[in-house]
Amino acid sequence: MTNNKTLCFTCNKEKITYSCKGCSKEFCSVHLTEHQQNLNEELGYITNEYNELKQTINEQKQNPQNFPLIKQINQWEINSIQQIQQKAREYREIIIKYSQTCINDIEIKFNDLSEQIKQIHRENEFNEINLNHLKNQLMKITQELNNLSNMSIQQNFQSFINEISNILSKRPQFNKWKQNAITVVGGNGKSQELNQLNGPEGVFIDKNKNIFIADFNNHRIAEWKCNAKEGQIIAGGNGQGSRMNQLNCPTDVIVDQKYHSIIIADHGNRRVIQWWNKTQRILIDNIDCYGLAIDKNGFLYVSDCEKNEVRRWKMGEYNEGILVASGNENQLSYPTFIFVDEEQSVYVSDRYNHRVMKWKKDAKDGRIVAGGTGRGKDLNQLSGPAGVIVDDLGQIYVADYGNHRVIRWCEGKQEGEIIVGGENGKGNQSNQLNGPCGLSFDDERNLYIADHFNHRIQKFEIIL
């Protein structure tokens, strides 16, 4: 008999095979069934994507007030009211000072006129010329006083109309940053002096532009005031260890401004610990914590890089926590940094899968929003992603650790764009990075990057 066996694409063995018209590959009967199952799963995934998109469309249709541009207009309204109130305060102060000066001048002239009248009465010598002079003086003083009372405000309503029209006509702006950064922390070699760092990981910028750094190899949290030449140790710094006043390779830090404390992912000690003043308490223990986040409601999120999951805890209640992103069906492999947006969607840097995943609130499964096409340096790839943040327009910024760059992805796009670094290769120049980790924006949208192997924090200023 003629041998009609060919190589199965899956098992690479000679068997009777069947051709798939879709991919033009040959499969044995066992792996043909498996191939069909894979196609069914892919169809299921596409169906889920379709249903999510349909739900999003319906939500936006039913809740037009939640449209992002409406939020921008609301913010414009608040800002405009604040500016008007500020201008009103300034003008009140100007008018009060001006009116007091004018009244003082009028009062001096009035007192002088009063003395003239008294003198005429005492001497009892006057004629028409004297009376006309007094009448003219009295008329001038009266006119000055009336002029002060008759001042009015010129209102330019058109400027407000133009300003709101401009807002409505604006399209989303894709921000850009200067390619040469300013070193705002460290950059003096790796060591433990107060002007040095050693392998920084997470970075947090507060509203006053103070910088908090998880100084990984120095086993401490450092705070650098805005424009300071050196930092101060606010947690740890007592050597590597597990005592309450020690840390062991901290990976992330966030400032809980409501309670005036800092929360630390004490990675090496497998605990999340809270410091305020010089007091410490363990919030969560027996956890391979890596990344931290707090949402608008004050819930704490922690990634567990060994269990491949992210859990949410209510402040003050640290039992099991609620699972919000999991490694079911191999969805995560060593999750590190995380971000939570206004809708409580969770973004996770999936390090060993070289991608960023997103879980909507209460979702069972996550979806890929950046990378996911294998490890590499193409614009559709990532290499061991680290820090992740999302802006108000839903644009995702990823510290592409292995490619020494920060890349921006718009959800649904097949590839991202390089924001800083990358194109200049790894290095320690102002336009280079070497293992970027944590990311943070300040209120002006300047971008801060924990440049791990250069032992510094780089500030890339936004181009307005």
Side-chain angles (χ1 to χ4, degrees), residues 109-124:
K109 294 176 182 178
F110 181 79
N111 291 336
D112 182 57
L113 180 62
S114 176
E115 286 299 321
Q116 293 180 45
I117 294 172
K118 288 178 182 179
Q119 184 177 355
I120 288 174
H121 276 290
R122 283 195 304 268
E123 296 177 354
N124 198 25

Side-chain angles (χ1 to χ4, degrees), residues 350-357 368-385 398 400-403 405 407 409 414-416:
D350 192 7
R351 175 171 290 180
Y352 294 154
N353 284 325
H354 312 291
R355 64 190 183 182
V356 175
M357 301 287 289
I368 301 169
V369 291
T373 56
R375 182 178 184 179
K377 60 181 180 180
D378 293 335
L379 290 179
N380 65 342
Q381 294 178 306
L382 297 171
S383 178
V398 186
D400 195 2
Y401 178 87
N403 287 321
R405 66 189 182 186
I407 195 164
W409 290 67
Q414 298 302 310
E415 61 181 36

Side-chain angles (χ1 to χ4, degrees), residues 65 69-85 160 163-164 167:
Q65 290 296 324
L69 189 57
I70 296 296
K71 294 180 180 179
Q72 293 181 40
I73 292 172
N74 292 341
Q75 189 59 50
W76 170 86
E77 179 184 20
I78 292 170
N79 293 341
S80 298
I81 291 171
Q82 289 174 346
Q83 290 179 18
I84 292 169
Q85 290 173 335
F160 292 97
E163 192 164 352
I164 190 68
I167 289 176

Side-chain angles (χ1 to χ4, degrees), residues 317-332:
E317 298 179 11
Y318 302 102
N319 299 319
E320 290 298 317
I322 297 173
L323 188 66
V324 294
S326 72
N328 292 337
E329 300 179 3
N330 300 317
Q331 288 198 64
L332 290 175

